[in-house]
Amino acid sequence: MTEDKKNPPQTKKDLFFEILRFLIVGAIATLADYAVFYLFRAWLLPATLGGGAWNFFSLAIATALGFLVGLLINWLLSVSFVFRAVKDKDKVKTKRSFLVFTLIGLFGLAVTELGVLLLVRLLPDIVLFQRVELFLPWKEWVAKIVMTCIVLALNYVSRKLLIFRS
């Protein structure tokens, strides 16, 4: 077995810093995601514009738009900042890699959409939190945060295995 001198194996320390960079980029992308989500949900497509069906349509659109903005930011920063120890740096910048990255993101979006919609319906109404809305109903924030954590782990593993192999 020959060792590639150009790309030595990734050490535990390298992996730790890669995950740390992934979390930083994830935080930046998540802030953009949440900002777009809030902008559309609270201002551009508020639930108050219509009834029950509109409420879930508005929630789904705001979730999707926020997620897509976060996906684009995540791609740009992942290629340039997160995954430094890859076998073929030129290959990760190709249209094919972006397509795989996007497909992983779209799968994450589907998981996020389903999870947010289900959690908003399933979370109990807690009297204590009915007055604490932080500009949107608390159940929407809880659902969004829970699904962000789940999809974060899913995205790292998928992208590391399918695109950014070291």
Side-chain angles (χ1 to χ4, degrees):
M1 186 169 149
T2 62
E3 188 176 308
D4 185 1
K5 294 188 194 264
K6 186 177 179 185
N7 291 315
Q10 190 173 31
T11 65
K12 288 181 182 181
K13 181 180 175 185
D14 294 335
L15 182 62
F16 170 79
F17 284 111
E18 179 179 272
I19 292 171
L20 183 61
R21 289 188 305 269
F22 182 81
L23 292 173
I24 291 167
V25 165
I28 293 166
T30 299
L31 287 173
D33 174 351
Y34 282 33
V36 170
F37 170 77
Y38 174 75
L39 174 70
F40 277 88
R41 186 69 176 143
W43 296 99
L44 300 176
L45 300 171
T48 55
L49 289 178
W54 170 255
N55 186 33
F56 279 99
F57 179 71
S58 164
L59 179 60
I61 290 205
T63 300
L65 291 174
F67 194 90
L68 291 173
V69 167
L71 176 75
L72 182 59
I73 290 170
N74 202 314
W75 162 257
L76 295 171
L77 293 176
S78 288
V79 168
S80 63
F81 176 66
V82 175
F83 296 101
R84 295 178 178 171
V86 294
K87 286 183 181 178
D88 188 349
K89 292 185 185 224
D90 292 329
K91 187 177 180 182
V92 300
K93 296 177 184 177
T94 64
K95 291 177 187 175
R96 181 184 179 284
S97 289
F98 181 71
L99 177 64
V100 173
F101 191 93
T102 301
L103 290 174
I104 292 168
L106 289 173
F107 178 73
L109 173 60
V111 171
T112 299
E113 289 280 4
L114 287 173
V116 167
L117 293 173
L118 284 172
L119 285 173
V120 166
R121 285 190 176 251
L122 295 176
L123 286 170
D125 287 321
I126 300 173
V127 176
L128 176 66
F129 293 120
Q130 285 181 346
R131 296 191 185 270
V132 180
E133 295 214 353
L134 301 173
F135 308 107
L136 291 174
W138 72 271
K139 291 197 291 188
E140 290 180 16
W141 287 116
V142 169
K144 188 94 168 113
I145 291 167
V146 166
M147 294 315 301
T148 297
C149 293
I150 291 169
V151 171
L152 174 79
L154 179 70
N155 282 344
Y156 177 78
V157 171
S158 300
R159 290 171 180 161
K160 180 74 173 169
L161 293 175
L162 297 175
I163 302 170
F164 300 103
R165 286 178 281 218
S166 50

